[in-house]
């Protein structure tokens, strides 16, 4: 079975632009979570979606938004990009929303210039 | 302050040596996971522990969950250069649903 897939793998944007990152979960998994990992740190939780509903939100500004589609894939949108948004954005999927082991995709490396 | 404190932050050892990485918290976790991450890639799950006092072994890696489910350790026996990477612990707080990560331990094994 395919693992979690993310696109694009790399992205370069300039300040003020917006970006959309995409994630497809493992088949059968209904929950998708998004994380931001800045170089040298552990991943920080951004959002969790389950059955197309937001189930959790981390301490990120409103410039960050996400949604989940009927096929359980997900998009993360970031508006008005700042230099500090440069990071590896990780998507993880799990079968349900609570306490399940999460499996990570390879991430999208975003560089904001 | 981090909810999950990992130590040490960085470890550089010779091939064949043993090492232990610690993950500590004042909070109780319903489960705790260990991941290994290579540069530019996503974390790869090594193990999930859910029961206080649980010990799991994965070849040369031994994982332990504390009796009170507040801490965990990862012990590597006879480290090899292929063990080099970033080791992350992550837990789901009791009554919570989001995964909280420690800052990670960078392990470098020299041949």
């Amino acid at each position: 079975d395919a693992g979690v897939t993310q696109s694009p793998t790399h992205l370069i944007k300039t300040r003020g632009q917006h970006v959309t990152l995409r994630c497809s979960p493992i088949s059968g998994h209904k929950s998708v979570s998004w994380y931001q990992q800045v170089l040298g740190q552990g991943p920080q939780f951004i959002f969790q979606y389950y059955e197309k509903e937001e189930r959790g939100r981390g301490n990120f500004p409103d410039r960050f938004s996400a949604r989940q589609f009927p096929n359980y894939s997900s998009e993360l949108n970031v508006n008005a990009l700042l230099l500090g948004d440069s990071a590896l954005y990780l998507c993880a999927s799990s079968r349900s929303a609570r306490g399940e082991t999460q499996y990570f995709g390879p991430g999208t490396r975003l560089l904001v210039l | 302050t981090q909810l999950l404190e990992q130590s040490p932050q960085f470890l550089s050892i010779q091939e064949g040596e043993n090492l232990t990485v610690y993950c500590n918290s004042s909070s109780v976790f319903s489960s705790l996971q260990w991941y290994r991450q290579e540069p530019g890639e996503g974390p790869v799950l090594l193990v999930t522990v859910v029961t206080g006092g649980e010990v799991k072994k994965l070849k040369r890696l031994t994982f332990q969950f504390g009796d009170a489910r507040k801490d965990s350790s990862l012990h590597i026996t006879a480290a090899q250069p292929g063990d080099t990477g970033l080791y992350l612990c992550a837990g789901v707080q009791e009554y919570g649903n989001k995964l909280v990560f420690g800052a990670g331990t960078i392990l470098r094994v020299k041949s």
Side-chain angles (χ1 to χ4, degrees):
Chain A
D1 283 345
V4 177
T5 58
Q6 291 186 244
S7 64
T9 56
H10 296 82
L11 204 51
I12 300 175
K13 292 285 189 179
T14 56
R15 280 179 296 175
Q17 287 189 309
H18 72 273
V19 67
T20 298
L21 310 180
R22 295 178 176 82
C23 170
S24 291
I26 292 171
S27 178
H29 286 194
K30 298 182 178 181
S31 179
V32 169
S33 297
W34 287 95
Y35 295 83
Q36 181 196 65
Q37 187 176 23
V38 176
L39 196 63
Q41 297 181 19
Q44 297 293 316
F45 173 76
I46 309 175
F47 286 110
Q48 182 187 42
Y49 275 79
Y50 177 70
E51 292 281 14
K52 296 174 287 180
E53 291 187 1
E54 183 183 302
R55 289 301 187 94
R57 172 186 283 257
N59 189 25
F60 280 81
D62 292 343
R63 299 185 295 109
F64 288 76
S65 64
R67 55 179 176 168
Q68 187 177 32
F69 299 99
N71 66 353
Y72 304 111
S73 67
S74 178
E75 283 183 353
L76 174 70
N77 294 283
V78 187
N79 292 324
L81 285 166
L82 303 174
L83 296 180
D85 294 331
S86 296
L88 181 67
Y89 287 86
L90 296 162
C91 171
S93 78
S94 57
R95 291 188 184 279
S96 66
R98 290 189 64 86
E100 291 278 346
T101 296
Q102 296 189 17
Y103 297 88
F104 284 81
T108 293
R109 173 73 63 186
L110 173 65
L111 177 61
V112 182
L113 301 175
Chain B
T1 56
Q2 291 265 62
L3 189 61
L4 276 169
E5 296 285 344
Q6 271 189 253
S7 62
Q9 291 182 318
F10 181 78
L11 199 53
S12 180
I13 62 172
Q14 289 294 133
E15 182 177 3
E17 291 184 6
N18 302 330
L19 67 115
T20 302
V21 177
Y22 299 94
C23 182
N24 295 298
S25 178
S26 57
S27 297
V28 177
F29 291 88
S30 58
S31 69
L32 199 138
Q33 298 159 22
W34 285 91
Y35 293 85
R36 179 168 167 267
Q37 186 177 22
E38 303 265 9
E41 298 181 9
V44 175
L45 180 70
L46 296 174
V47 77
T48 299
V49 286
V50 296
T51 306
E54 183 176 3
V55 176
K56 282 192 174 179
K57 291 193 175 183
L58 184 66
K59 297 183 180 178
R60 294 176 292 101
L61 278 59
T62 302
F63 305 86
Q64 185 162 9
F65 201 12
D67 290 341
R69 292 184 288 136
K70 294 181 179 182
D71 53 83
S72 181
S73 64
L74 157 60
H75 182 79
I76 301 179
T77 303
Q80 299 176 1
D83 295 328
T84 293
L86 174 67
Y87 288 83
L88 294 158
C89 69
V92 178
Q93 281 183 281
E94 203 165 43
Y95 310 120
N97 62 351
K98 71 175 186 181
L99 195 60
V100 176
F101 279 84
T105 295
I106 297 173
L107 171 64
R108 180 186 171 202
V109 182
K110 296 175 285 187
S111 57

